[in-house]
Each structure stands twice: as C-alpha cells, then as structure tokens.
C-alpha cells in the first residue's frame, strides 16, 4: 500500500482537469478489505492475523468524515471504481441515510457492474468466486436487504440484482468490454488452461474473429442486465465500447482533449450534468470497433494478474 495517492481526474483540484468538482471536498477511502466493505467477522485468523471487517472499517471512516464536517454537506457523491464501484452501489442507500435529509446525495459506480454470466468453458466461475467472498467475509448481513430477502447472499453481490432497488440516484459508468471482466469473468485462467485467450486479453486488437464473437455476445448480455434494471428518470448511464477498466480516475479518459465521447459528450461532462441536474445522460455505445475515441488498454503479461 503506497503512502501517496494521486488525486487526478474526478479527484483533481484543478478546474481545467475537473471542471465540475475541482472545488469540492474530495476524500479517497483506502480499500483494503477485499469485500467492497461488506465483511464483518468477529473471529480473527490466528495464522495470518487477518481481520475480515470491511463493514466496520466503512462505518468508522464515515463517522470520522461526518465529524470533520461532511454532515454539513449540501451535495455529496459516493463514487468508486472496480471493487469501489461495487461498494458505491452496495452502500449507496446507507450513505444517503447517514447524511441530513436536506443533503443532495448521488452515487457513481465506475467499472463496478460485474456481470453474473458463464465463462467460456460454460462454468459459473464468477458466481462461485463471489459465493466464496461472501462466505469468507460474513457479508450476508451487510448486503442490501431488498436483495437478500429474495435471493441468496452470493447473488446479491452482483449489481444486476441490487441496483434496481436502490432509492438514491445512481450513475452507471462502464465499458461494455470491461477488460477486468473479460480476463476474470468471461475467460478466467481456470476456463482457459492453455492460454488461448491471453493474447486477446492483453490487446483487443489481437483477438481472433471467434473471440470477438464471444465478446460481442458478452456485451449483449451485459447490456441486457443494465437495461433490465428498468427505466429511471434519475439513473445516469454511460456505457462505452472501449476495452478498459476504470475511467473516472484516469485523466485521459475522464476529461482530456481526446477523451472517449458518447453523443459528443465526455464522461466528465455526462457525470457533471447528472450530478448538477443540468441534463440526464443515458447513452449506450455502438459495438466495438465503432468508437474511434476509445482508449483501449494494452497490457503486459505482468499487469493486472487474474484472480
């Protein structure tokens, strides 16, 4: 865990890089619990001294921020990317409940809409993985009751079963070909023992036609899950067709001369318009490779090791 973290893009304090939020109070909550701040296990592992208590960490951080002045906020946005994007959905309504009724609260999930789907071998790898996470962390009691009253706790780790019941306004920002999901949900190593997907996962331009077909089907399933949340006049949406993961904390994807655009709109503009109620943005990109403004990630084999 590095001592210093860059406050860039959505966290930048410079107007030219972050025109709508540069003068906000900005807080980055350290993520170290492995369960999107849902864990709450009293027992401590004696061999490793590991504490699975992410929910307690979350509450302690929120209480400290409220005491430091967050309780006086006129506007508050809970955002995060990847596991933090999942956390921003899981804790959205409880975050709203911590603040006064007069505070305008919204939640932004960047690359946190993990899809419950089968991998290329036909196995339900990510469902099994999330089931293990929930069991290890004792997460069930901290998952949204609106979901756990209907489905198993493991299913309630997937946003497609949770987001529809969130009462607080939510913005879903995601790549339809999310690089983390392609690597770890669609074609995890367990489903690809001979590494046939490795070159494709490192650079989408290396993908074979049959692999692109599988990824196009993944996109359709992803879009079905997002659209399946139903229509909402408060839910923002920016689903681009880039091969990437996390776009709010990287300056070039958030707000730059050549940032990805949908409907002639950058991510920063779409999110800012939504937060300030200037304009509701709900757009889905055309399929890859149609968007020339995309910044497709290119990885090395050492990058982003699979789960």
């Amino acid at each position: 865990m590095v001592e210093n973290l860059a406050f860039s893009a959505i966290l930048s304090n410079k107007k030219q890089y972050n025109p709508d939020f540069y003068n906000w109070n900005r807080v980055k909550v350290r993520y170290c619990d492995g369960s999107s701040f849902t864990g709450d296990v009293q027992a401590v592992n004696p061999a490793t001294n590991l504490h699975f208590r992410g929910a307690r960490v979350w509450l302690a951080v929120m209480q400290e921020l409220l005491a430091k002045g967050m309780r006086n906020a006129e506007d508050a946005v809970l955002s995060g990317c990847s596991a933090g994007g999942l956390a921003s959905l899981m804790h959205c309504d409880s975050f709203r409940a911590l603040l006064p009724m007069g505070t305008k609260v919204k939640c932004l999930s960047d690359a946190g809409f993990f899809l419950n789907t089968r991998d290329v071998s036909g196995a339900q790898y990510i469902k099994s993985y999330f089931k293990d996470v929930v069991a290890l962390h004792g997460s069930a009691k901290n998952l949204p009751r609106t979901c756990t009253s209907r489905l198993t706790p493991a299913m309630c780790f997937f946003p497609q079963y949770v987001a529809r019941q969130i009462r607080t306004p939510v913005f879903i920002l995601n790549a339809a070909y999310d690089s983390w999901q392609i690597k770890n949900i669609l074609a995890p190593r367990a489903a690809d023992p001979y590494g046939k997907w490795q070159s494709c996962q490192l650079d989408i331009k290396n993908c074979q036609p049959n692999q692109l077909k599988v990824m196009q089907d993944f996109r359709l399933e992803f879009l079905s899950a997002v659209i399946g949340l139903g229509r909402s006049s408060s839910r923002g949406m920016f689903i681009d067709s880039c091969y990437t993961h996390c776009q709010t904390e990287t300056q070039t994807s958030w707000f730059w001369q050549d940032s990805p655009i949908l409907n002639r709109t950058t991510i920063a503009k779409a999110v800012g318009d939504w937060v300030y109620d200037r304009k509701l943005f709900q757009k889905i990109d055309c399929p890859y490779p149609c968007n020339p403004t995309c910044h497709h990630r290119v990885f090395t084999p050492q990058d982003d090791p699979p789960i």
Side-chain angles (χ1 to χ4, degrees):
M1 184 178 281
V2 296
E3 288 186 17
N4 297 307
L5 288 168
F7 271 55
S8 59
I10 195 173
L11 296 174
S12 174
N13 63 355
K14 293 181 170 56
K15 188 174 183 178
Q16 66 265 38
Y17 301 137
N18 189 25
D20 278 317
F21 307 109
Y22 72 95
N23 58 352
W24 284 44
N25 293 297
R26 290 150 294 110
V27 177
K28 190 154 187 169
V29 181
R30 290 281 191 156
Y31 177 62
C32 62
D33 83 304
S35 70
S36 292
F37 298 108
T38 62
D40 192 355
V41 177
Q42 183 63 30
V44 178
N45 186 319
T48 60
N49 197 34
L50 282 174
H51 296 60
F52 297 104
R53 299 177 183 171
R56 301 188 197 185
V57 172
W58 163 262
L59 194 55
V61 171
M62 291 302 112
Q63 287 170 341
E64 180 173 346
L65 293 175
L66 288 166
K68 286 187 171 183
M70 191 170 72
R71 62 164 60 98
N72 301 317
E74 295 177 10
D75 295 272
V77 173
L78 177 65
S79 71
C81 91
S82 196
L86 178 60
S88 70
L89 293 174
M90 295 296 179
H91 294 281
C92 186
D93 282 340
S94 60
F95 178 69
R96 155 73 279 178
L98 290 171
L99 291 155
M101 287 301 296
T103 307
K104 187 169 79 173
V105 179
K106 297 191 176 187
C107 304
L108 165 61
S109 175
D110 174 13
F113 204 95
F114 300 106
L115 185 67
N116 179 26
T117 188
R118 294 180 183 272
D119 63 32
V120 291
S121 74
Q124 294 181 300
Y125 177 79
I126 194 64
K127 182 179 176 182
S128 173
Y129 179 79
F130 276 6
K131 183 179 179 182
D132 289 346
V133 170
V134 169
L136 178 67
H137 289 263
S139 299
K141 55 183 171 291
N142 292 310
L143 296 173
R145 300 276 196 287
T146 52
C147 181
T148 54
S149 63
R150 300 176 293 113
L151 299 169
T152 63
M155 296 295 275
C156 295
F157 223 68
F158 289 103
Q160 67 205 82
Y161 308 119
V162 172
R164 188 171 191 164
Q165 281 76 39
I166 297 173
R167 299 182 299 276
T168 310
V170 165
F171 193 106
I172 296 171
L173 164 63
N174 229 99
Y177 310 90
D178 183 283
S179 56
W180 191 93
Q181 296 199 51
I182 299 300
K183 292 182 193 179
N184 296 289
I185 294 180
L186 181 64
R189 192 162 292 170
D192 182 36
Y194 301 109
K196 293 179 180 178
W197 276 81
Q198 185 177 24
S199 178
C200 172
Q201 291 170 338
L202 295 177
D203 186 342
I204 194 170
K205 292 176 184 172
N206 295 337
C207 296
Q208 299 299 312
N210 63 318
Q211 293 172 323
L212 284 174
K213 171 67 168 64
V214 173
M215 289 167 67
Q216 298 293 14
D217 290 344
F218 175 88
R219 169 184 176 268
L220 291 176
E221 194 172 352
F222 178 86
L223 295 182
S224 177
V226 173
I227 295 167
L229 299 177
R231 297 185 67 84
S232 169
S233 59
S234 67
R235 187 186 305 123
M237 192 185 343
F238 190 112
I239 310 295
D240 59 30
S241 288
C242 309
Y243 184 68
T244 189
H245 183 67
C246 288
Q247 300 180 86
T248 56
E249 296 179 22
T250 305
Q251 193 63 55
T252 51
S253 53
W254 172 249
F255 188 71
W256 203 244
Q257 297 95 318
D258 62 346
S259 290
I261 57 173
L262 269 184
N263 203 43
R264 299 194 297 270
T265 307
T266 63
I267 294 168
K269 181 76 164 64
V271 171
D273 284 349
W274 170 77
V275 169
Y276 285 103
D277 296 321
R278 294 188 299 243
K279 185 179 180 182
L280 178 63
F281 193 91
Q282 297 176 322
K283 299 294 179 185
I284 295 173
D285 208 352
C286 47
Y288 172 86
C290 74
N291 190 338
T293 68
C294 274
H295 292 195
H296 300 300
R297 291 284 303 275
V298 177
F299 299 91
T300 67
Q302 291 75 36
D303 290 334
D304 198 20
I307 55 173

